Amino acid sequence: RPGLALCAGCGGRIQDPFLLRVSPDLEWHVACLKCAECGQPLDETCTCFLRDGKAYCKRDYSRLFGIKCAQCRAAFSSSDLVMRARDQVYHLECFRCAACGRQLLPGDQFCLRERDLLCRADHGPP
């Protein structure tokens, strides 16, 4: 469809023999498809993520929109082991008692007071 498509990046008509289609309704000139945050060119060799009509590289998409650890606020990598407490997600090493600093392991009893994790010894009997 060269000549009929409008570039989602610059808004111009795509007259080039090649275009990049990221979703069924968004197409770019090859030179216009770049990460909206860092400007890294995005082509058929890398993963591209869309949000609100903007394209992002994997690193920036994860940093801006990915789930972050409730303790350290860093993003998770795909290989990270996590712990959950209600709607909060933690790196395994960040899942610690706020009072004594002891790492809480799977099976340990704890409570969540406000946003603080407390081990059984520090939150008292149930």
Side-chain angles (χ1 to χ4, degrees):
R1 299 182 9 204
L4 300 176
L6 293 179
C7 178
C10 71
R13 288 211 176 278
I14 301 176
Q15 303 286 343
D16 308 353
F18 300 101
L19 57 82
L20 293 174
R21 182 174 294 131
V22 177
S23 70
D25 57 340
L26 293 175
E27 300 164 328
W28 275 265
H29 291 107
V30 172
C32 290
L33 185 57
K34 297 177 181 174
C35 175
E37 188 70 14
C38 71
Q40 171 188 340
L42 303 171
D43 58 22
E44 68 279 353
T45 65
C46 61
T47 304
C48 178
F49 295 85
L50 286 180
R51 176 98 174 219
D52 300 325
K54 294 180 181 178
Y56 297 91
C57 66
K58 182 177 182 177
R59 185 188 74 239
D60 285 329
Y61 186 87
S62 177
R63 182 178 56 81
L64 293 169
F65 307 112
I67 297 172
K68 296 183 177 53
C69 176
Q71 179 63 35
C72 72
R73 304 302 304 151
F76 296 100
S77 74
S78 60
S79 62
D80 284 338
L81 297 175
V82 300
M83 295 289 282
R84 295 179 184 271
R86 292 195 191 125
D87 60 343
Q88 304 296 313
V89 183
Y90 300 82
H91 291 106
L92 199 58
E93 61 275 6
C94 294
F95 199 69
R96 297 179 173 276
C97 176
C100 69
R102 184 173 74 81
Q103 184 174 10
L104 300 168
L105 301 172
D108 286 350
Q109 290 185 355
F110 67 91
C111 83
L112 191 59
R113 191 172 296 149
E114 300 289 318
R115 292 179 97 54
D116 290 336
L117 293 167
L118 296 171
C119 67
R120 183 174 180 154
D122 288 317
H123 77 75

